[in-house]
Amino acid sequence: MLGNKLVVIIGATGTGKTRLSIEIAKAIGGEVVNGDKMQIYDGLDITTNKVSLQDRCGIPHHLIASIPHNAGDFPVSFFRYAAKTTINCIARRGHTPIVVGGSNSLIHGLLVDNFDLSIVDPFGQLEVSYQPTPQWQCCFLWVHVNEVILNEYLKRRVDGMVDAGLVEEIEEYFDTLSVNGHVPYVGLGKAIGVPELSEYFTGRVSCSDALSMMKTNTQILARSQVTKIHRMVDVWGWHVHALDCTETILAHLTGSNKYMEDLVWKRDVSDSGLAAIQDFL
Ligand code: ATP
């Protein structure tokens, strides 16, 4: 292993991990390693909420849009190998790797010192005595948002995605890949939005019902991600800096001006995150 220090940003979907990762990368000379299992695929950029080139602000992003849209499922061990190689290259350039997830199964699979394939669900309640330790020195930042506020934000985010062309994007994907009215439920076909809108394209539900299902499933995903993070913290004992982005999201939802929103973001999230990282480095 080359560098032994890693910044790891975790949190549910929609909490602000992407924005934080770019601000931190700019401040410390970092490079981002994607840890969202759907964003690894090339395609469905709106649906999977990939960060645009413009928003990346010149910060190198790795393992994003890196495998073909029809590649199917990949094993966690593939991510472990690819991300580890990427992290070593970043460290060799003298930069700090910033892993941003996303998918807690990928974060776990990458970080644990002993990756044991016999542990099928590392976050499951059955694994009572499982206490993995990270193979790097990690500074974990957990971007957290109150569940009620986040749920409202996630609902509106789907509406924003629709305005950006979500339905058309999934329709094109559906037209290319569907067999007998279904996109195979593997790989990128599992992205929230694909199964739901497929029901609409085949006339089984209305567009608005499909989008409601998509909103509900996004909220369910967020809740499950938080449960997994609690396991890392409460059961495995991984030391995590929690950053509360609730007020920032609330400012956004209530239509506060951008200046106010940025002020709250800086106060609650980015300043504390940067302070934790500066202590760590
Ligand atoms: P699990 O093992 O349950 O799949 P995980 O931690 O490996 O959990 P998650 O990132 O929580 O992975 O993803 C679980 C599911 O949530 C995915 O299979 C997909 O349906 C959906 N999902 C995750 N990320 C996205 C995304 N960026 N866009 C759309 N759907 C997503």
Side-chain angles (χ1 to χ4, degrees):
M1 200 188 305
L2 283 169
N4 68 343
K5 287 195 170 178
L6 210 60
V7 174
V8 183
I9 302 180
I10 53 177
T13 183
T15 51
K17 299 185 296 294
T18 299
R19 178 176 179 185
L20 183 63
S21 64
I22 289 162
E23 289 185 11
I24 285 174
K26 278 199 221 161
I28 64 168
E31 298 188 28
V32 171
V33 182
N34 166 52
D36 177 307
K37 62 157 78 144
M38 293 298 138
Q39 294 184 1
I40 290 186
Y41 295 95
D42 187 9
L44 296 184
D45 292 355
I46 300 168
T47 311
T48 60
N49 215 26
K50 285 198 194 86
V51 56
S52 67
L53 273 181
Q54 193 188 344
D55 288 347
R56 291 181 203 179
C57 301
I59 301 297
H61 279 62
H62 306 275
L63 301 184
I64 188 160
S66 299
I67 60 177
H69 67 272
N70 56 356
D73 287 328
F74 58 86
V76 174
S77 53
F78 161 78
F79 178 78
R80 179 176 166 92
Y81 174 76
K84 207 168 166 173
T85 311
T86 306
I87 286 166
N88 284 341
C89 289
I90 296 171
R92 204 174 284 131
R93 286 192 283 276
H95 294 170
T96 304
I98 304 170
V99 178
V100 186
S103 299
N104 293 295
S105 62
L106 297 189
I107 297 292
H108 163 269
L110 167 65
L111 296 185
V112 289
D113 50 0
N114 278 315
F115 182 58
D116 183 351
L117 278 173
S118 70
I119 298 186
V120 184
D121 179 10
F123 297 93
Q125 301 296 327
L126 293 177
E127 306 292 351
V128 272
S129 60
Y130 183 56
Q131 291 244 320
T133 46
Q135 57 176 322
W136 282 274
Q137 257 183 279
C138 294
C139 178
F140 288 100
L141 301 179
W142 172 16
V143 195
H144 178 70
V145 174
N146 167 283
E147 186 176 339
V148 176
I149 308 294
L150 183 61
N151 280 345
E152 180 57 30
Y153 174 74
L154 292 174
K155 246 174 34 187
R156 295 205 208 168
R157 189 177 74 171
V158 172
D159 294 332
M161 288 170 155
V162 171
D163 293 343
L166 172 112
V167 177
E168 295 76 10
E169 178 180 86
I170 300 182
E171 187 167 25
E172 198 186 325
Y173 182 80
F174 177 85
D175 288 344
T176 317
L177 288 180
S178 66
V179 183
N180 298 328
H182 289 283
V183 174
Y185 193 67
V186 290
L188 189 57
K190 291 180 183 170
I192 294 175
V194 174
E196 295 84 351
L197 277 154
S198 298
E199 296 287 296
Y200 163 57
F201 299 135
T202 49
R204 287 187 276 255
V205 301
S206 67
C207 188
S208 116
D209 283 350
L211 292 171
S212 294
M213 284 194 280
M214 185 178 169
K215 289 173 183 173
T216 304
N217 289 336
T218 308
Q219 293 166 343
I220 292 170
L221 168 66
R223 199 172 317 130
S224 136
Q225 288 170 319
V226 171
T227 305
K228 289 175 185 175
I229 293 170
H230 273 294
R231 189 146 193 103
M232 282 181 199
V233 177
D234 305 335
V235 180
W236 301 352
W238 291 10
H239 179 68
V240 165
H241 299 272
L243 306 171
D244 191 350
C245 192
T246 305
E247 292 288 331
T248 311
I249 299 280
L250 203 54
H252 180 80
L253 288 174
T254 52
S256 298
N257 64 42
K258 186 86 178 72
Y259 175 76
M260 273 306 294
E261 197 185 313
D262 288 350
L263 216 61
V264 178
W265 164 266
K266 186 168 157 19
R267 183 196 69 193
D268 294 351
V269 186
S270 59
D271 279 356
S272 319
L274 270 170
I277 287 173
Q278 261 138 18
D279 280 351
F280 166 74
L281 295 174

